[in-house]
Amino acid sequence: MKTFTTPQLVEQLFANLRDLAGNTDKNAYLAGYISACLGDIAEKGVDELTAIVDFTNQQIEVREYNKRADARRQEWVDKEFA
């Protein structure tokens, strides 16, 4: 099990949020998400930062999985109905 420092977790969170923002206004997305995160971290402690990073990692993994599934489905449709 790897242990991460708080700065490493913050860096990962920002990287995740920039990725999740997609083509939207990244600054607005980051500001809104960070505002909510800071409130949670202040209330629940630094362990909440770890949970938030884990959650955003999972969101990215799910999005990438769905992209691959959509591509496989489209490939099947193209082949089946060509």
Side-chain angles (χ1 to χ4, degrees), residues 36-46 48:
C37 290
L38 289 175
D40 287 344
I41 293 166
E43 182 180 322
K44 300 173 186 171
V46 75
E48 185 67 11

Side-chain angles (χ1 to χ4, degrees), residues 2-76:
K2 186 172 180 182
T3 303
F4 295 96
T5 65
T6 301
Q8 288 173 317
L9 289 170
V10 169
E11 184 179 323
Q12 182 64 47
L13 178 60
F14 271 98
N16 288 351
L17 293 177
R18 281 190 298 274
D19 189 14
L20 289 170
N23 294 330
T24 63
D25 178 3
K26 290 191 188 309
N27 290 334
Y29 184 87
L30 289 170
Y33 207 101
I34 292 297
S35 174
C37 290
L38 289 175
D40 287 344
I41 293 166
E43 182 180 322
K44 300 173 186 171
V46 75
D47 286 341
E48 185 67 11
L49 176 59
T50 303
I52 292 166
V53 170
D54 285 344
F55 177 73
T56 57
N57 283 341
Q58 291 170 8
Q59 286 181 306
I60 290 170
E61 289 173 12
V62 166
R63 186 187 62 200
E64 294 304 314
Y65 173 84
N66 286 337
K67 283 181 187 177
R68 290 189 306 273
D70 289 344
R72 285 192 305 271
R73 194 170 20 260
Q74 189 60 49
E75 181 182 333
W76 177 84

